[in-house]
Amino acid sequence: MAVHRDWLRRRLGVFEMFALIYSDIQSTFYFVLGFLLLSGGQYGFFAVAYSIALMAAIALSYGEMGSRFPEAGGSYLYVKYSFGKTIAYLSVWLLAFDQIIMISYGTIDAAKVLHKIWGVGTSEAVVAAAISTALFALSLIGIRESANFAKAVAVFDVVIMATVIVVALATYPAAPPSFNWDGVVAANLFFAFSLASRGYTGVDAIGQLAGEAREPLVQVPRATLLVIGMGVFIGLGLTAAAMSALAPGDLQDPALAPVYLAQKVNHALQYLVSASIVLVMTVAALAGYTSFTRLTYILSDEGLMPSFFKKLHKKFRTPHSSLALAYLVSLLFIAPGEVDLILSIYAVGSLTNYMLVALALAKAARSGTLYGAFKTPLIRGIPLSALLAIVMVTVGLALTILEKYPYLWIIGVWAAAGALFYAAVAHRSGKTGNRGTSTTTNSR
């Protein structure tokens, strides 16, 4: 059954793919770093190391599956191949929730920086809503140069953050693993490792972008390794620098940890770091819009969601219904102007999706029916990346559920809405099928 998704064009090279993924994952890490350190205390570096190891395992899993499915669809295609449409639908519907949350945390964190460092706006929630509105309008019109913008942001951020890391470690030398936080009691070690499990959410973009790479069998593996390498350098380096130069009392607003680090090592650097974070968060929020609409478009095209989700704007040829849904839901989470709720519910859906992708990779590898241009060593027929991801994501999910179970009802409401969409489409398809006029069948 052919699926025609000619709205996606193969224009991306290795660095374009890396840049889009980089802003996605770094935005999450910058956002949670301060919370993670305050919760983990002297064990903060271990929590970040665990976070990076989990990111690497997930990235390798997506890299392997992306080299087996060099087309648009990402997580949906992977899970569908191994476990069928229904499970694949539920998996990416949960992932889509985090993509909307990404819009909220990206715009809120950008607003915090603009307000506290640049003095823009009197209400962070209002500024965040204004940014989200601008990104909605931009996404509706279409973003032809988004990859080039992401490249410029990635280069700027890497240069600035590398400078901060080097200056901080040279000015405030300290020995790992606790650096100058030796004896700092962990406020909540379970929460620290729960946050660490969610510290690099967004790495699934590797799979989403495989359908837009010019030479996916070559470029997906290279982009995957570049993402891992840069994640290790910036993640461990920034953590070491923060634990060397900052004390817990310096993190007045944990969401701004990189900015406080820049203030401490060189006052002039705070403006460059703050500008970099605003740009990274903006790209991440924009990625939330584009990723959500891409997933809902594919699900609608597959006949798993109402057809209006794939309707395109008459003038701009963009999926305006999906964009409007993402915009409205993002405003609901922006309105309180607080990050505690977002931290409580963010990435549970993504971790569930990552688990299913790792299991799908294990099953596909054992079946031996798919060619892959990128492979990790096999252990009893299962890729090492899949085994590591399954074990580590299981730990991350367990920690998150134990720590934040009172908030899981919000995700349950989202899952229920997805199930209703699915049931409505199935019911309608059954009716049209009984009349012998199924639009899905006739259109393929």
Side-chain angles (χ1 to χ4, degrees), residues 386-404:
L387 286 173
L388 291 175
I390 290 168
V391 172
M392 298 184 75
V393 172
T394 299
V395 173
L397 270 172
L399 288 171
T400 300
I401 291 171
L402 287 172
E403 181 63 33
K404 292 300 175 183

Side-chain angles (χ1 to χ4, degrees), residues 230-288:
M230 195 55 63
V232 170
F233 170 68
I234 298 294
L236 292 182
L238 201 60
T239 304
M243 294 182 71
S244 296
L246 299 177
D250 294 326
L251 298 174
Q252 300 173 13
D253 186 340
L256 301 179
V259 176
Y260 292 133
L261 175 62
Q263 286 177 338
K264 188 68 175 287
V265 299
N266 187 304
H267 190 72
L269 278 176
Q270 71 171 316
Y271 296 104
L272 292 174
V273 169
S274 61
S276 184
I277 289 178
V278 169
L279 290 171
V280 166
M281 292 297 174
T282 300
V283 172
L286 184 59

